[in-house]
Amino acid sequence: MGRLRAMREPLKYVQGRDALNKFYDEMGYMGKRWLFVCSNSGYKACHDKIEKSFEGHDDYRRYEIFGGISSNGEIKKMQEIVKNDNIDVVVAIGGGSAVDTAKATAYYEGKHIVIVPTVAATDAPCTGLSVIYNNDHSFDKYLFYPTNPDAVIVDCNVIANAPVHFLVSGMGDALGTYFEGRASIRTESASLEGTGITRAGQALAKLCYETLRQYGKQAIEACKLHVVTPALENIIEANVYLSGVGADNVNCAAAHSFYNGVTAVGCKHADHGDCVALGTLVQLVLEGATKEEFDDVQSFCMEVGLPVTLEQIGITTEDQVRIIAENACVPGETIHNLAGDVQPCELYDAIMQADAMGKIALGKV
């Protein structure tokens, strides 16, 4: 292989109960002037803890509620603040859009970047890329960075007090990490960052799935009660770190292409993690996985409340499935990391079979 193997990850990852009470202790070395790019809910959940951590220090701190999507206009607005206020460190507080906005702002301005996720719904906090949109909210591009974030700090109490469905969605996104990575390794594909795949990346992806399987249901019950237990901490680590660093250092395959196909149908309530979970089952059908392996993954989905049928993500017609299959197989999609050249007709058949197996499991046939 001509590719150099490489590993990408945040320079620092901190996680724990009331971790934000120690924000300054953990991050203060980066500078004296801070811009916090916040979602509305992120500001409410984190502001007081972060401020408490700065007690006794005279650092400049500015909190900005961003516009809700990582658009070019929103990023430019934050860049102006960085310039005008002579900011040293940009901090994201919120979900994926706040994270992507802050990452891009810090990258364009050459500043440190710290990520404070307020939900464990995606692995975006640890990755070295952003999804950027136009000002009309249409997709613009994926922006890849030369490095991953300087630091990620996760307050488990904040995650425990977020709606449970975010945690479940994060498990759906994380579910694909091992199986998509395994497929990429089989075909000697590049990692998501375009490098050769390391054994360390493979190990993290596998540990991600093992952690989901062992602790997923317990973590959901803890989150329902808004309590922090070892199981919840383990799932937060799987959703945020193991999935993010694992995916960065292996790659995606059919599960994420399935999600991209679903977006072409315009299903408003089908979120990323739900689609990736069902897409993982579709990928296992495409790969000819054994009954034991398929049943194991399907039973996990049912145990934690992830979808196993098309109806559960709002897909109700065969025409919709054909649209999904066509769009998931366009050139450049990660489904082509699977062995063989997957055609739309093959993906259509696999989607229909995975859906049928889900209906059987749910007792609907």
Side-chain angles (χ1 to χ4, degrees):
M1 288 179 62
R3 299 187 193 94
L4 297 174
R5 294 187 185 189
M7 280 292 292
R8 292 274 301 267
E9 63 243 305
L11 293 177
K12 188 174 188 177
Y13 180 83
V14 180
Q15 173 187 311
R17 185 187 297 268
D18 290 322
L20 289 179
N21 289 342
K22 296 185 178 179
F23 180 90
Y24 180 84
D25 292 343
E26 294 291 342
M27 308 299 162
Y29 65 90
M30 293 188 196
K32 297 288 287 182
R33 300 181 67 83
W34 305 76
L35 170 63
F36 296 88
V37 178
C38 313
S39 65
N40 272 304
S41 59
Y43 178 86
K44 293 173 185 175
C46 302
H47 172 268
D48 290 352
K49 284 186 171 184
I50 291 173
E51 282 298 292
K52 181 179 175 63
S53 79
F54 278 95
E55 285 182 357
H57 303 281
D58 60 357
D59 293 50
Y60 173 81
R61 304 180 296 283
R62 177 166 176 172
Y63 294 83
E64 283 290 323
I65 307 299
F66 88 114
I69 190 167
S70 51
S71 66
N72 288 304
E74 196 66 28
I75 292 163
K76 285 186 173 69
K77 184 177 86 174
M78 296 302 170
Q79 284 182 258
E80 287 304 310
I81 294 172
V82 169
K83 291 186 181 96
N84 294 337
D85 290 22
N86 197 24
I87 296 297
D88 299 317
V89 190
V90 180
V91 183
I93 303 179
S97 291
V99 169
D100 285 345
T101 301
K103 281 182 184 176
T105 301
Y107 169 66
Y108 287 134
E109 296 303 314
K111 304 301 181 181
H112 288 296
I113 176 69
V114 177
I115 311 298
V116 181
T118 54
V119 293
T122 73
D123 54 21
C126 289
T127 62
L129 62 93
S130 287
V131 184
I132 308 298
Y133 296 90
N134 295 307
N135 294 339
D136 64 1
H137 294 192
S138 62
F139 173 78
D140 179 20
K141 61 179 177 287
Y142 290 106
L143 180 59
F144 289 88
Y145 305 118
T147 62
N148 290 45
D150 291 283
V152 177
I153 180 167
V154 190
D155 189 316
C156 293
N157 294 82
V158 172
I159 305 300
N161 283 285
V164 176
H165 73 86
F166 286 121
L167 189 75
V168 175
S169 182
M171 285 193 272
D173 191 23
L175 179 62
T177 305
Y178 169 62
F179 297 100
E180 293 185 284
R182 183 179 70 179
S184 300
I185 292 161
R186 286 172 174 170
T187 55
E188 297 188 355
S189 300
S191 74
L192 196 60
E193 299 292 346
T195 68
I197 296 174
T198 62
R199 289 176 59 80
Q202 298 173 47
L204 289 175
K206 186 175 183 182
L207 180 59
C208 182
Y209 178 62
E210 291 171 349
T211 303
L212 295 175
R213 208 68 188 86
Q214 291 164 2
Y215 298 104
K217 182 61 175 175
Q218 294 180 59
I220 289 171
E221 297 308 313
C223 195
K224 287 178 181 177
L225 297 169
H226 309 301
V227 296
V228 177
T229 65
L232 180 60
E233 291 202 72
N234 291 343
I235 290 300
I236 291 170
E237 184 179 340
N239 286 9
V240 178
Y241 184 82
L242 295 176
S243 179
V245 178
D248 243 13
N249 291 287
V250 286
N251 207 326
C252 299
H256 274 79
S257 288
F258 175 79
Y259 165 74
N260 292 339
V262 171
T263 63
V265 180
C267 292
K268 302 293 185 186
H269 68 279
D271 71 15
H272 181 78
D274 282 355
C275 293
V276 171
L278 184 55
T280 301
L281 293 170
V282 171
Q283 178 176 316
L284 291 174
V285 173
L286 277 170
E287 293 179 306
T290 63
K291 179 181 184 298
E292 291 74 21
E293 183 170 63
F294 183 90
D295 287 351
D296 186 59
V297 178
Q298 186 190 64
S299 65
F300 168 75
C301 290
M302 294 172 64
E303 181 179 67
V304 300
L306 288 165
V308 296
T309 67
L310 291 168
E311 185 180 5
Q312 290 174 303
I313 62 167
I315 304 298
T316 57
T317 70
E318 292 183 8
D319 284 343
Q320 288 177 308
V321 178
R322 290 189 177 90
I323 293 170
I324 291 168
E326 289 287 344
N327 282 274
C329 291
V330 298
E333 272 293 343
T334 55
I335 195 169
H336 301 297
N337 288 332
L338 289 181
D341 186 18
V342 178
Q343 299 298 306
C345 61
E346 295 172 302
L347 179 56
Y348 173 87
D349 292 350
I351 293 170
M352 296 303 288
Q353 181 179 320
D355 178 60
M357 299 298 288
K359 290 175 180 175
I360 292 170
L362 295 175
K364 292 196 172 184
V365 292

